[in-house]
Amino acid sequence: MSNRTLTLLMGFVAFLILLVGVVFAVAVLGGGDDDNAPASPNQDRPRSTSGGFCEAKQLIVPGTTPASVLDPIQVTDVSTSEYVVEIFGGLVTLDRDLNVVGDLAESWDVSADGRVYTFHLRDNILFHNERRVTAQDIKYSIERAADPRNGSPTVTAYLGNVVGVVDKFEGRANEVAGVRVVDERTVEIELIQPSDFFLKELTYPVSYVVDREQVESDPRNWTRRPNGTGPFKLAEYTPAQTIRLVRNERYHLGAPKLQEVVFDLSGGSIATRYQNNELHVGFVPAVELESFKDGSNPLAGEYLEIPEMATFYIQLNTSQPPFDDPNVRKAFAMAIDREQINEVLFYGALRVADGFIPPEMPGYTESVSAYKYDPEEARRLLQESKYAGNIPRVVLSYGGSAGNSPDILVAMQEQWRQNLGVEVELQVLDPASYLREQRRGEFQMSSDGWSADYPDPENFLGKLFASNSPLNYTGYTNPEVDRLLEQARNTTDTRERYRLYAQAEQLFLDDAAIIPTFWSVSHMLVKSCVKDYPTAPMTIEKYRYIDISRD
């Protein structure tokens, strides 16, 4: 996603908004639709209900406006994903330790050849309106995701290994042949190739279950009050003000401890509102970070540092001049002093990315390394390129709103000017236009990011850099990288897969189709009365674990 598709993330990937201490907004993907939000009479900023700030079972947190409608098959970004994972569910999910566990399915069997998964559904799973979920709902939801009329941007990337998904999405079949209903509580899913990470892919929202009756009875507006199976129900969505989720009392994995979660979308100073007991969760201003780390700040006891499986990067279009020349790409990579940017602008709040895959990701290989800051070598490479002395106009695009450009991009712009003598223009695009430009491959450079959708290196490498991936927006292609990624996808030996991914990662870093800049860290404040706050390094359904009680 990425995120949860960062995108993380990309389509995410396309991309996303990530909070990194200073609530550092990087890029947004998708296209929001306020017409799909239900009106609400409550126009006030959320405050704790009666009983006191730490007495009621109501959690109030800062939120971000969803970048797309609350439809699982349209999710490409972290901001939307945070709500969708709480409202909906799929066959399997990730627990707080990122292990795959059953959600709608209580168990599953795998055939000897690793190609057929048979899922056995729980007998107590209900939609929010208390209609029972059956195997037919599973099949319908995957069929709907693969229906080309619905235009899911992620279905082939995440479910393309299911027999028939690509055929239906490309109009060659009327159904997904690899999803078969055995009986009311049993469904089979057949894969094209055995996969060591298929169950992890199934935790991504595109495979979540939706209510066919609701979708077909009101296809335009059903996302205003979606009838999911998740631990929370959407009770209120007032754009730019509030999203309110209420407890699903009949949730099959156990009712949440909280009665409701209120996401405050209204903006303003998060730090001030946290100190005024208007929010249970806040973020540490980067300028004050050191006082929280050394314990001298009065609120240091409420500080949480959460390294995240998310990478910020500059994306270079290898089919567009001047970045069709690898020497130009390498020169731009070596001309950025990321250490200086992190220390001066963010007071060390981020982590300089020495590769693409973040350290928290299973399969992370420390020896894999991106280009280091070397302005002298950067100038030499630029002079050896075919564009020496004749660099065309260079534009770096980013998603956002009109106003001053982000400081991080301004800093990089100045470093390219000083170290290479190249003037880079910064161009802001509204989120929908940014996403269209990405998908069409019309950009030269872009500021992007990717947040883990599931804990496997395939999510970072295969999804973004395989030549045939629908999320590969850079136009990057390298036959050897493709060979390694394909070999990794087709082996079920986890250790061997990780070795192959590390080789592929080093090769594409050497080709400099992207410039990794920072790995994300969330610097949070959590009130002492908030118990069991999950610290997973990626988006999961977390609010069902949380409780509020005084010490």
Side-chain angles (χ1 to χ4, degrees):
M1 192 189 125
S2 73
N3 100 231
R4 286 187 221 46
T5 128
L6 252 75
T7 68
L8 65 155
L9 67 115
M10 142 193 162
F12 274 195
V13 297
F15 178 56
L16 62 108
I17 291 179
L18 276 177
L19 296 172
V20 293
V22 282
V23 196
F24 171 33
V26 183
V28 190
L29 293 175
D33 184 354
D34 287 351
D35 290 337
N36 280 353
S40 168
N42 180 11
Q43 302 299 313
D44 297 326
R45 170 170 286 170
R47 296 189 66 89
S48 181
T49 55
S50 61
F53 187 68
C54 280
E55 302 297 335
K57 299 291 186 179
Q58 179 197 53
L59 183 74
I60 307 175
V61 299
T64 54
T65 298
S68 68
V69 294
L70 299 177
D71 180 347
I73 69 171
Q74 301 299 338
V75 174
T76 60
D77 65 287
V78 170
S79 58
T80 308
S81 177
E82 179 166 17
Y83 308 115
V84 166
V85 300
E86 303 291 346
I87 297 169
F88 298 90
L91 288 166
V92 291
T93 188
L94 297 172
D95 66 15
R96 285 180 285 190
D97 298 318
L98 304 186
N99 300 307
V100 175
V101 296
D103 185 349
L104 302 179
E106 65 178 355
S107 63
W108 52 89
D109 307 307
V110 185
S111 62
D113 64 1
R115 293 184 55 239
V116 179
Y117 285 71
T118 303
F119 294 92
H120 308 283
L121 304 186
R122 301 177 190 274
D123 62 4
N124 63 335
I125 48 175
L126 305 171
F127 286 106
H128 292 160
N129 68 353
E130 300 192 1
R131 181 174 78 80
R132 185 170 297 278
V133 178
T134 69
Q136 190 62 49
D137 294 306
I138 308 294
K139 180 172 175 63
Y140 165 76
S141 298
I142 295 177
E143 296 271 5
R144 176 177 176 270
D147 190 330
R149 294 173 297 180
N150 294 324
S152 170
T154 59
V155 64
T156 59
Y158 292 85
L159 295 178
N161 192 30
V162 175
V163 171
V165 163
V166 174
D167 287 338
K168 177 161 184 174
F169 190 77
E170 295 182 351
R172 298 191 298 269
N174 294 323
E175 72 166 338
V176 177
V179 181
R180 297 182 289 270
V181 174
V182 177
D183 57 40
E184 189 176 79
R185 289 183 53 202
T186 311
V187 62
E188 287 183 351
I189 298 181
E190 181 181 357
L191 306 184
I192 298 170
Q193 296 286 344
S195 172
D196 191 39
F197 53 88
F198 171 63
L199 288 175
K200 295 179 182 178
E201 286 186 307
L202 273 187
T203 66
Y204 189 71
V206 72
S207 64
Y208 286 1
V209 173
V210 297
D211 178 7
R212 180 174 189 169
E213 294 177 4
Q214 183 188 38
V215 172
E216 295 186 348
S217 65
D218 192 5
R220 179 175 175 79
N221 299 312
W222 71 272
T223 55
R224 293 185 177 211
R225 195 62 61 85
N227 186 35
T229 62
F232 289 90
K233 307 175 186 181
L234 178 64
E236 175 187 346
Y237 177 15
T238 304
Q241 292 191 39
T242 301
I243 288 178
R244 184 166 60 89
L245 305 181
V246 298
R247 176 168 61 195
N248 176 8
E249 299 285 357
R250 301 197 65 181
Y251 183 54
H252 50 275
L253 297 180
K257 300 169 185 175
L258 296 170
Q259 291 180 344
E260 63 180 36
V261 182
V262 177
F263 298 86
D264 186 353
L265 315 180
S266 61
S269 170
I270 292 176
T272 299
R273 288 154 54 204
Y274 180 85
Q275 293 181 39
N276 291 341
N277 283 346
E278 295 178 18
L279 296 170
H280 290 96
V281 174
F283 297 95
V284 177
V287 68
E288 299 178 16
L289 184 57
E290 189 59 34
S291 70
F292 283 88
K293 289 189 171 184
D294 66 20
S296 62
N297 193 290
L299 296 178
E302 299 176 2
Y303 169 61
L304 280 180
E305 179 177 348
I306 306 176
E308 297 176 327
M309 290 194 292
T311 305
F312 302 122
Y313 57 97
I314 299 297
Q315 189 169 230
L316 307 177
N317 191 331
T318 61
S319 64
Q320 294 271 356
F323 299 114
D324 56 338
D325 187 324
N327 281 338
V328 175
R329 299 196 301 267
K330 294 174 187 178
F332 271 69
M334 293 182 183
I336 298 176
D337 188 345
R338 296 164 295 175
E339 295 281 0
Q340 181 187 59
I341 292 173
N342 188 33
E343 292 304 318
V344 173
L345 290 182
F346 301 109
Y347 300 87
L350 300 174
R351 297 173 293 169
V352 171
D354 190 38
F356 191 66
I357 293 179
E360 293 70 35
M361 175 66 72
Y364 166 76
T365 303
E366 189 174 0
S367 61
V368 172
S369 181
Y371 288 109
K372 309 295 185 184
Y373 177 58
D374 189 341
E376 183 175 342
E377 177 67 7
R379 286 188 288 271
R380 187 189 69 79
L381 287 168
L382 192 61
Q383 286 304 309
E384 290 186 358
S385 75
K386 65 182 179 181
Y387 295 103
N390 191 32
I391 292 286
R393 179 185 181 218
V394 177
V395 178
L396 189 158
S397 305
Y398 63 95
S401 57
N404 294 332
S405 298
D407 289 345
I408 185 174
L409 298 184
V410 173
M412 291 180 187
Q413 179 188 47
E414 181 60 27
Q415 289 180 350
W416 285 318
R417 178 186 297 117
Q418 291 183 0
N419 294 328
L420 299 178
V422 177
E423 296 290 336
V424 176
E425 299 177 31
L426 301 181
Q427 179 185 60
V428 61
L429 299 172
D430 67 83
S433 298
Y434 177 82
L435 180 56
R436 283 195 299 270
E437 183 180 84
Q438 296 285 298
R439 290 177 176 173
R440 294 171 181 172
E442 296 172 347
F443 66 95
Q444 277 182 301
M445 308 174 70
S446 67
S447 173
D448 216 331
W450 187 259
S451 181
D453 303 311
Y454 54 87
D456 193 276
E458 164 66 19
N459 181 235
F460 272 65
L461 303 181
K463 292 292 183 283
L464 294 184
F465 301 108
S467 297
N468 61 353
S469 172
L471 307 184
N472 180 353
Y473 296 153
T474 65
Y476 172 75
T477 178
N478 180 324
E480 180 62 12
V481 170
D482 284 340
R483 185 189 69 79
L484 289 167
L485 292 177
E486 182 70 16
Q487 190 176 346
R489 279 193 294 269
N490 293 335
T491 182
T492 56
D493 182 326
T494 301
R495 182 172 296 181
E496 175 65 7
R497 280 202 312 113
Y498 291 168
R499 187 185 68 82
L500 293 167
Y501 284 131
Q503 293 181 39
E505 182 183 9
Q506 188 62 68
L507 281 176
F508 86 74
L509 288 173
D510 291 345
D511 287 340
I514 59 110
I515 306 171
T517 54
F518 302 104
W519 290 315
S520 175
V521 182
S522 186
H523 300 279
M524 304 186 65
L525 293 173
V526 179
K527 295 291 185 182
S528 61
C529 61
V530 176
K531 309 300 183 183
D532 298 324
Y533 191 93
T535 57
M538 58 171 286
T539 300
I540 61 169
E541 51 171 284
K542 64 185 178 186
Y543 292 103
R544 69 186 178 97
Y545 299 108
I546 298 172
D547 197 4
I548 293 179
S549 64
R550 288 199 177 275
D551 296 330

